[in-house]
Amino acid sequence: MKNFVVKTIANAGALAVAVWVLDKITLTGDSTPKKVGTLIVVALLFGLVNFLVKPIVKVLTFPLFILTLGLITLIVNALMLMLTSWLAGKLDVSFHVDGLWTAILGGLIISVVSWALNLVLPDED
């Protein structure tokens, strides 16, 4: 359970950095507590998408992983971010990613920041 909470906090922090750096990734809210709540909901959605959908996409695109020496990971991460944005829109959560290039940069930022935060944060169960 502790590992789940740590990963969710890391995802929320990484998403916050992506929202802060890229102006085409938007997160709206009336106040800071509402924005934090929205970030946590989006982090949970992002974690769910990465847990359920990403392994299937990786298996289906395995030949492309080999062919591109893993660079297709950037596109897969971008698609997971866009899917999270789409789900957030369907669930009436104020998070939106505008465009594929923004999603690619956002996915890259989220991957790097999440990796760094997972190094710093404890991950014991």
Side-chain angles (χ1 to χ4, degrees):
M1 182 67 177
K2 188 176 181 182
N3 193 19
F4 173 74
V5 173
V6 168
K7 287 193 180 291
T8 303
I9 291 170
N11 274 341
L15 284 163
V17 171
V19 168
W20 179 61
V21 170
L22 300 173
D23 60 341
K24 290 188 177 183
I25 297 179
T26 56
L27 176 88
T28 55
D30 299 339
S31 61
T32 302
K34 285 188 179 184
K35 287 182 181 180
V36 170
T38 302
L39 265 176
I40 291 171
V41 170
V42 172
L44 288 170
L45 276 173
F46 190 63
L48 187 65
V49 164
N50 280 328
F51 179 73
L52 295 175
V53 179
K54 193 172 184 177
I56 296 167
V57 172
K58 277 188 162 184
V59 167
L60 293 175
T61 59
F62 184 70
L64 290 174
F65 275 93
I66 294 171
L67 187 65
T68 64
L69 301 174
L71 288 177
I72 193 74
T73 305
L74 292 172
I75 304 300
V76 170
N77 287 343
L79 293 175
M80 296 304 108
L81 188 59
M82 291 180 77
L83 180 59
T84 302
S85 173
W86 178 79
L87 282 173
K90 293 294 180 187
L91 296 173
D92 202 28
V93 177
S94 59
F95 176 77
H96 182 68
V97 178
D98 187 27
L100 180 65
W101 288 109
T102 303
I104 291 172
L105 284 173
L108 183 62
I109 290 168
I110 290 168
S111 295
V112 169
V113 172
S114 175
W115 170 78
L117 287 176
N118 280 319
L119 284 178
V120 174
L121 295 172
D123 64 348
E124 302 118 15
D125 278 334

